[in-house]
Amino acid sequence: MKKLDKSTRKLISSIAVIVVLYLVMSGMQATGNLSSLMSGLLVPVCAYSLVAIGLNLCVGYLGELSLGHAGFMCVGAFTSAFFSKMYQDVIPDVPRFILALLIGTFFAALFGFLIAIPVLRLSGDYLAIVTLAFGEIIKNVINVLYVGKDAAGLHLSLKDMMDLGLDLDGVVLINGAQGITGTPRQSTFTIAVVLLIVALIITHNFVNSRTGRAVKAIRDNQIAAETVGLPITKYKLTAFTISAAIAGVGGVLYAHNINSLTATTNNFGYNMSIMILVYVVLGGIGNFSGSVIATVVLTMLPEMLRGLSTYRMLIYSIVLIGLMLFNWAPGILKFREEHGLTTKQIVDKFKKKKEVQ
């Protein structure tokens, strides 16, 4: 059997760590040693991790800064929740959730593809601003959208709920700024972890495929890539669409974990896009497992510090600044390298000790 390359070994290690954490958390949850607050964060952590993986594919490998991935998450969340709500009494639970997952992923990928066609002609700050605007447009459109269903079919309005003109037995599916209520809560921690592992495998295979290598070549030097005949637009569209689709999967998980889904700034707006970008930068640009770790730490930490009341966010901010400096400050990186404190050096020491034993 051929020796596994470095990236494959890293992927296997990441999956093994996720599985171990899943078993530990599941065991604590089953024995009642995990608070209800922390239990409620398990699925959202996985959802945010998926969005961070999708954004890292765009930023780390495509080399384009997108601030609109909360918008793709929003598309996946609302399209899947709309489907689940509409067919709640028609299709059994398991096939309905599978279909909702496929629909949410498809529409997020579709929006990603359509947005990428004009947006990827831009670069740098201009691309970031346009993708940010897309996320805000999606959020605001949903907030003024009213959709209902009765015997006559679907009714649509951009005015108010009364303008739908529903029969007495009609049901409001999307109620403007109040969003969608009563979505079946089918997202479980097990499903979330499985989807997270699948996303890691897909992104790993993509970046190490022929297409992935072409995407990295375009990122490093687009002019040189064009010179050797690489179809720039094709590869950029492919990477951006896959990135949006993964964010859409995170949205599906998020939507099916809460009873009331609303398109607020904190959920799917500018704040969420920036937070996802923080996860990516802190975990390491181009490092998918690092994005997962950063998401877990930064999502769980505020809740773990909740007992400290007013000092909670102050400590959270200090920890965030400290971690950023530890991972990216040139002086600290040099100090870590000189004293054997880099991740690679620590792993190599562990391997040597294991070999000696």
Side-chain angles (χ1 to χ4, degrees):
M1 185 176 69
K2 293 183 179 179
K3 188 177 180 181
L4 297 175
D5 57 37
K6 182 180 178 181
S7 61
T8 304
R9 291 198 305 270
K10 185 177 180 180
L11 172 66
I12 294 173
S13 301
S14 300
I15 293 174
V17 171
I18 291 173
V19 171
V20 171
L21 288 175
Y22 164 74
L23 294 174
V24 171
M25 289 296 180
S26 297
M28 292 176 65
Q29 200 172 22
T31 56
N33 292 319
L34 195 64
S35 67
S36 58
L37 187 62
M38 296 299 288
S39 296
L41 286 175
L42 295 178
V43 174
V45 163
C46 294
Y48 298 146
S49 296
L50 283 164
V51 183
I53 289 172
L55 181 58
N56 209 343
L57 178 61
C58 180
V59 176
Y61 290 90
L62 183 58
E64 302 290 358
L65 176 59
S66 169
L67 293 178
H69 269 59
F72 300 127
M73 182 184 179
C74 183
V75 170
F78 273 87
T79 53
S80 62
F82 177 80
F83 174 82
S84 295
K85 177 75 174 177
M86 187 172 179
Y87 293 99
Q88 188 170 2
D89 300 325
V90 179
I91 304 176
D93 290 348
V94 175
R96 186 182 63 240
F97 180 73
I98 293 173
L99 288 173
L101 179 63
L102 294 175
I103 288 170
T105 305
F106 170 77
F107 276 99
L110 178 63
F111 272 78
F113 177 79
L114 295 176
I115 293 297
I117 293 174
V119 163
L120 290 180
R121 297 177 184 273
L122 305 172
S123 61
D125 298 340
Y126 302 102
L127 186 142
I129 292 170
V130 173
T131 52
L132 174 63
F134 158 73
E136 291 299 309
I137 289 171
I138 289 293
K139 176 177 68 68
N140 287 296
V141 167
I142 291 175
N143 281 331
V144 298
L145 185 63
Y146 296 85
V147 180
K149 181 185 72 169
D150 59 15
L154 289 176
H155 299 258
L156 175 67
S157 173
L158 297 177
K159 186 178 179 182
D160 54 40
M161 186 176 65
M162 300 304 296
D163 192 53
L164 291 173
L166 296 174
D167 295 339
L168 293 176
D169 60 344
V171 178
V172 177
L173 300 175
I174 302 179
N175 191 14
Q178 296 181 31
I180 301 176
T181 57
T183 306
R185 297 188 64 177
Q186 294 180 274
S187 293
T188 64
F189 186 38
T190 301
I191 294 173
V193 168
V194 170
L195 291 175
L196 182 59
I197 292 173
V198 170
L200 286 172
I201 294 172
I202 289 173
T203 50
H204 170 266
N205 289 333
F206 175 77
V207 299
N208 290 286
S209 67
R210 181 178 180 180
T211 303
R213 290 192 293 272
V215 169
K216 287 185 281 187
I218 294 169
R219 174 200 64 190
D220 293 336
N221 194 323
Q222 183 169 326
I223 296 175
E226 286 177 326
T227 303
V228 299
L230 288 178
I232 305 297
T233 303
K234 172 188 172 183
Y235 287 125
K236 279 190 171 184
L237 283 174
T238 301
F240 199 87
T241 302
I242 294 174
S243 173
I246 295 173
V249 175
V252 175
L253 277 179
Y254 182 87
H256 288 77
N257 185 57
I258 54 178
N259 289 322
S260 180
L261 179 66
T262 56
T264 64
T265 301
N266 289 331
N267 289 345
F268 301 112
Y270 174 79
N271 291 346
M272 178 53 67
S273 291
I274 295 300
M275 184 54 67
I276 297 298
L277 182 61
V278 170
Y279 297 155
V280 171
V281 174
L282 183 60
I285 296 175
N287 185 352
F288 296 120
S289 56
S291 296
V292 176
I293 294 170
T295 304
V296 173
V297 172
L298 294 184
T299 305
M300 293 291 192
L301 187 60
E303 303 307 324
M304 294 172 67
L305 298 174
R306 187 168 290 277
L308 297 176
S309 185
T310 54
Y311 298 101
R312 177 171 63 99
M313 295 312 297
L314 174 61
I315 296 173
Y316 174 78
S317 302
I318 293 172
V319 170
L320 180 59
I321 293 171
L323 288 173
M324 291 293 289
L325 291 174
F326 182 76
N327 283 332
W328 297 102
I332 296 177
L333 287 175
K334 184 179 179 181
F335 175 83
R336 288 173 60 192
E337 188 173 350
E338 290 175 351
H339 294 80
L341 297 175
T342 64
T343 304
K344 184 178 182 301
Q345 290 169 328
I346 293 172
V347 171
D348 289 341
K349 287 179 182 178
F350 178 76
K351 286 181 179 178
K352 289 177 181 179
K353 288 181 180 179
K354 196 172 181 182
E355 289 174 359
V356 170
Q357 292 175 352

